[in-house]
Amino acid sequence: MLRYPDGAERRCYLAWDGRAGDPSRMPYFERETAILAALSGPYHGSGVTVAPLVGTFPSHLALLSEFVSGNDRFPQAEDKAALARAFVGQLAALHRLDARNPAFAALGDATEPPASRIRANIAQWQRTNLSAGADPIYQVALAWLARNVPPDRGPAVVLHGDAGPGNFLFNGNEIAALVDWELTHLGDPMEDLAQIWVRSLIQPFVPMADVFAAYEAASGQPVDLARVKYHRLYFQLSFSVPSAALASGEGSSIGATGTGLLYGTMHKRVIVQSVAQLAGIAVTDPELPLCEPDWTDRFFATALADLRDDIVPAAGNQRAAAKAKELARLVKFWRMRASHGAAFDAAELAEIRALMPSAPANLKGARAALAEAIAADAVDFAAAVQLCHNRVVRETAIMADAMGGLATTWYEDLD
């Protein structure tokens, strides 16, 4: 509760980033501050609802806003279709704002064509990946993106940057506030629609055909399906590559959790499947060897049974229970790696060296060599896609028991 000198009180919400000592977080803070200030001030009443900004504390990367009550769990909505239309209508209103206004200066250069910014980002992500663990899965996707940047359809607009279920609050069929603005930027309006589609892989939403129809009705602009599909892949790379680079640091624990493995495996599979589909490349599943578990398997089974039957039910708080479930995912991963890891690694290494005989004789080095060859356009692209597909099929098999439906989740067919 914020109390003023005259005794007036205002219920507020304080949000802060625990990484305040990391200078790389400041641009995210500045963008979120700028958009909230604009939508709370000169653009209040523009049709985009946010929690009004009260104050900022840059030294702590903290934002103070008015408290807005609302539910963020879309599956609990009473009328999902009506709520989705209201949300998409707010995105259309956001895209109509004048990106040239100085209020949005922190979001980017409004005179820069979206395609130019996209090319610059892709080039940066390629360099980032090559310098930090060079992964052929990301390089094959970035190579396709770089060769197929869609021509600009208009000037850059203001984007949410992470639009979709979970990032808005609602009461009934009304939007209470759009939240989580740290990825806001200027760009192609189809990006926000693509983000909804990617987020719906994990968080259920209404059919994308309904989303597109709502956007066309609210914006008066046609949805370009091919462009949205491009931006689905572009959006996935925008967070996957930086996250992988951070995880590759020596001693890093980033991504080394059951949830990190689960979602990382899912996104890699979808990335490769997207590249194959967008490039018109027919891939075939590799044959997976039948690997029998050895004498250690019963210890994994005991650990999983203890977690399921004793530890989780007896957990004294929600955090402890969540951590136990995280550990169960890791045990399931270790169990499959113990029985299948060596065979899968040997198969992948043999495939890379068959395509590139000069590749190193160890898997890490061979993957890096393949990634560098893809970046240099020195290897057959379709063959590289097939090898990446083989790898994600094997990695998904390792994680399948922990992934459930995420092992097969895919975008709805709108063609």
Side-chain angles (χ1 to χ4, degrees):
M1 189 70 71
L2 182 65
R3 182 174 291 107
Y4 291 87
D6 63 2
E9 293 184 338
R10 192 178 186 185
R11 193 179 183 193
C12 295
Y13 179 81
L14 179 66
W16 69 93
D17 190 331
R19 298 159 288 182
D22 181 356
S24 69
R25 298 302 303 169
M26 183 56 73
Y28 299 96
F29 175 79
E30 292 174 339
R31 287 196 295 268
E32 186 161 20
T33 298
I35 190 70
L36 290 177
L39 295 173
S40 302
Y43 285 97
H44 176 70
S46 64
V48 185
T49 309
V50 297
L53 184 66
V54 175
T56 66
F57 310 92
S59 62
H60 292 75
L61 299 184
L63 296 170
L64 184 68
S65 60
E66 283 191 21
F67 180 82
V68 174
S69 63
N71 191 348
D72 67 348
R73 299 182 180 182
F74 184 78
Q76 296 177 2
E78 300 169 7
D79 187 337
K80 294 179 179 60
L83 183 59
R85 286 194 298 271
F87 169 64
V88 173
Q90 296 227 357
L91 291 182
L94 179 68
H95 299 166
R96 285 194 294 269
L97 301 182
D98 185 0
R100 299 166 298 176
N101 190 293
F104 303 118
L107 277 57
D109 181 358
T111 66
E112 181 184 21
S116 176
R117 180 186 56 82
I118 289 170
R119 291 191 181 92
N121 284 341
I122 292 170
Q124 178 58 56
W125 297 335
Q126 287 175 316
R127 292 190 295 270
T128 296
N129 181 248
L130 288 174
S131 65
D135 192 322
I137 288 175
Y138 299 138
Q139 286 300 322
V140 80
L142 290 166
W144 187 89
L145 287 170
R147 291 197 293 264
N148 293 277
V149 178
D152 291 318
R153 199 171 72 170
V157 304
V158 179
L159 302 174
H160 180 278
D162 195 10
N167 276 351
F168 61 86
L169 303 177
F170 63 91
N171 292 305
N173 297 328
E174 301 290 330
I175 300 296
L178 303 192
V179 298
D180 290 347
W181 289 90
E182 66 173 19
L183 297 182
T184 185
H185 61 277
L186 306 182
D188 184 333
M190 297 298 102
E191 289 187 55
D192 273 342
L193 299 184
Q195 291 151 18
I196 295 173
W197 213 346
V198 173
R199 290 180 67 87
S200 69
L201 290 170
I202 301 168
Q203 296 172 289
F205 202 52
V206 299
M208 284 305 297
D210 295 347
V211 172
F212 294 159
Y215 185 81
E216 291 180 342
S219 69
Q221 300 295 321
V223 170
D224 184 333
L225 181 59
R227 187 181 295 264
V228 177
K229 287 184 177 182
Y230 178 93
H231 284 298
R232 285 188 326 204
L233 182 59
Y234 176 78
F235 178 56
Q236 283 189 291
L237 272 293
S238 74
F239 58 78
S240 295
V241 172
S243 295
L246 289 173
S248 70
E250 188 168 342
S252 173
S253 61
I254 294 174
T257 65
T259 298
L261 275 169
L262 184 150
Y263 288 119
T265 302
M266 184 276 289
H267 280 297
K268 284 184 178 179
R269 176 183 59 79
V270 173
I271 284 169
V272 174
Q273 193 171 343
S274 294
V275 173
Q277 183 187 80
L278 291 167
I281 297 171
V283 292
T284 57
D285 290 349
E287 183 176 347
L288 300 181
L290 180 62
C291 301
E292 295 295 334
D294 63 14
W295 62 273
T296 63
D297 189 69
R298 68 189 183 95
F299 295 97
F300 293 115
T302 298
L304 287 169
D306 286 346
L307 285 164
R308 182 189 65 239
D309 300 332
D310 297 317
I311 297 175
V312 171
N317 58 63
Q318 188 175 8
R319 177 175 172 79
K323 285 292 185 179
K325 291 176 182 177
E326 282 274 341
L327 183 56
R329 294 188 182 109
L330 283 176
V331 173
K332 290 178 180 180
F333 166 74
W334 296 332
R335 186 181 198 178
M336 283 295 291
R337 275 295 302 181
S339 58
H340 290 69
F344 283 4
D345 289 352
E348 182 182 353
L349 179 59
E351 290 170 351
I352 295 175
R353 286 174 58 82
L355 181 64
M356 301 172 54
S358 62
N362 64 85
L363 183 55
K364 181 178 179 180
R367 283 180 176 174
L370 176 58
E372 290 162 1
I374 294 167
D377 198 19
V379 67
D380 181 76
F381 187 75
V385 172
Q386 179 65 62
L387 262 59
C388 290
H389 174 74
N390 292 350
R391 174 180 156 192
V392 297
V393 168
R394 296 181 183 113
E395 290 181 351
T396 300
I398 291 288
M399 282 297 297
D401 188 32
M403 293 177 74
L406 291 182
T408 57
T409 186
W410 178 244
Y411 303 116
E412 62 195 274
D413 185 9
L414 296 180
D415 292 315

